[in-house]
Amino acid sequence: MHKGDWTVPQEWHLYRADEHAMWDRLFERQARLLPGRVAPAFLEGLDILRLSKPGIPDFAELNARLMDATGWQVVAVPGLVPDAVFFDHLANRRFVAGRFIRRPDQIDYLEEPDIFHDVFGHVPLLANPVFADYMAAYGRGGQRAVKLGAIERLARLYWYTVEFGLLRSGDSLQIYGAGIVSSFSESVFALDDPSPNRIGFDLKRLMQTRYRIDDFQQTYFVIDSFEDLLAQTIGTDFAPLYQELAGSTDLDVATILPGDTVFHLGTQAYARSRPTHSSGSSE
Ligand code: HBI
Ligand code: FE
């Protein structure tokens, strides 16, 4: 089924016309919504990688351009892979992507990341040299975290930046996290809805903050720039931070601390309106 590194061939020739059409439908919807809302580096990545071409991207073609830009490549995997395997791929500039694409009835929500989430959501920023370095550094950090038993803490850094991060642009905010960028509804909610908190990125604070995997985020963290995010992480040995946090209690997902830089104090009205609303969170 797969090699030791869980990779499988993409088998691009096997995609059906309706699967290519699903990619185009998802792509068109986001391409109309994102300009003005998404970090410019994301749109630049779409151009550099020619991702606006119709149909599901063929990784062989995509990788020729991506390797040229930042030395990254996309590899196909059957689904979620073990953490250690995931980190090793990232550390070696290989982004793991699902091969399957969601069905029409899953257009707005699906459990596992499909090829649209992974390739449209994550890959354009891998053409940005600074963000590409950050993702490789994250992979190396993950390899260390496995040895330290600190994966859960490090996963929060990934979640609140790579998946659901916001970027400050003057006095407005832009989205860059793949989980937002690949979601029609969350691309609106994350910036416009009064419900969630939007607070300044703070590594230590973020590593204490739980997150939700089953619904819109209740808190988004805002970075000043990809350069700043890289500067705060690439050279940092997180071991002392893990030590410092060892005894501390995790923060609930909607908590605001006195030291937080609050861009927006959320009403949490959306979260309260959800049937499965729990004061805490699942992770
Ligand atoms: N596997 N295919 C795949 N994609 C992911 O995004 C992924 C994964 N395995 C683990 C994982 N992400 C996260 O839990 C890591 O941040 C730990
Ligand atoms: Fe993802």
Side-chain angles (χ1 to χ4, degrees), residues 15 85 95:
Y15 289 116
V85 171
F95 188 78

Side-chain angles (χ1 to χ4, degrees), residues 1 4 14 34 41 54 74 85 99 102-103 107 121-122 124 134 146 149 153 159 161 165 220 222 227 260 270 278:
M1 161 87 154
L14 293 182
L34 290 176
V74 184
V85 171
R99 287 187 292 196
R102 66 194 73 180
R103 298 187 312 271
I107 189 147
H122 283 282
Y134 172 65
V146 168
R153 289 227 182 275
W159 192 267
T161 57
Y220 295 96
V222 181
E227 288 76 6
D260 284 342
Y270 170 82
S278 60

Side-chain angles (χ1 to χ4, degrees), residues 5-282:
D5 64 2
W6 287 66
T7 58
V8 292
Q10 182 191 14
E11 296 181 314
W12 182 81
H13 57 287
L14 293 182
Y15 289 116
R16 301 187 311 268
D18 66 289
E19 291 175 306
H20 285 297
M22 173 51 83
W23 171 279
D24 291 343
R25 183 177 164 198
L26 289 162
F27 187 99
E28 286 316 309
R29 205 168 64 157
Q30 293 310 98
R32 266 198 306 277
L33 175 65
L34 290 176
R37 182 176 288 276
V38 72
F42 177 86
L43 299 174
E44 286 154 21
L46 286 183
D47 286 346
I48 292 167
L49 301 174
R50 305 273 196 292
L51 275 170
S52 38
K53 205 162 61 69
I56 293 171
D58 180 343
F59 291 178
E61 280 177 32
L62 175 60
N63 286 340
R65 293 194 189 95
L66 184 56
M67 287 288 279
D68 225 22
T70 57
W72 274 85
Q73 60 183 304
V74 184
V75 291
V77 289
L80 291 179
V81 304
D83 293 338
V85 171
F86 181 66
F87 295 134
D88 286 347
H89 279 301
L90 292 184
N92 291 288
R93 297 197 174 229
R94 289 187 301 265
F95 188 78
V96 296
R99 287 187 292 196
F100 77 99
I101 192 158
R102 66 194 73 180
R103 298 187 312 271
D105 65 286
Q106 298 170 304
I107 189 147
D108 277 324
Y109 188 78
L110 76 163
E111 288 298 305
E112 287 230 332
D114 71 337
I115 192 167
F116 187 76
H117 168 91
D118 281 331
V119 176
F120 181 87
H122 283 282
V123 173
L125 282 182
L126 291 176
N128 174 284
V130 178
F131 197 81
D133 286 352
Y134 172 65
M135 286 290 278
Y138 179 84
R140 294 193 299 275
Q143 292 172 317
R144 291 194 296 269
V146 168
K147 296 188 181 70
L148 296 170
I151 293 180
E152 191 185 353
R153 289 227 182 275
L154 191 77
R156 290 171 178 173
L157 176 59
Y158 190 86
W159 192 267
Y160 281 119
T161 57
V162 179
E163 292 295 357
F164 291 98
L166 298 182
L167 172 70
R168 199 162 65 77
S169 168
D171 52 12
S172 68
L173 302 181
Q174 295 172 331
I175 57 183
Y176 71 91
I180 310 176
V181 153
S182 59
S183 158
F184 183 74
S185 46
E186 197 153 4
S187 289
V188 176
F189 178 86
L191 289 187
D192 302 350
D193 198 292
S195 181
N197 299 324
R198 298 176 185 93
I199 59 180
F201 176 92
D202 171 320
L203 186 61
K204 186 170 143 202
R205 193 260 197 248
L206 175 154
M207 280 199 178
Q208 299 175 67
T209 309
R210 294 200 191 97
Y211 57 82
R212 310 233 7 205
I213 57 172
D214 57 351
D215 206 339
F216 290 162
Q217 298 308 305
Q218 292 182 251
T219 294
Y220 295 96
F221 284 88
V222 181
I223 60 171
D224 285 333
S225 66
F226 296 143
E227 288 76 6
D228 182 57
L229 175 62
L230 183 66
Q232 292 199 48
T233 49
I234 190 160
T236 313
D237 170 9
F238 291 156
L241 192 50
Y242 298 145
Q243 277 296 331
E244 211 182 311
L245 294 174
S248 67
T249 47
D250 285 342
L251 299 170
D252 258 354
V253 67
T255 306
I256 291 279
L257 295 181
D260 284 342
T261 303
V262 180
F263 289 84
H264 173 75
L265 179 60
T267 64
Q268 301 302 341
Y270 170 82
R272 268 200 305 280
S273 73
R274 302 293 286 164
T276 57
H277 175 68
S278 60
S279 60
S281 67
S282 48

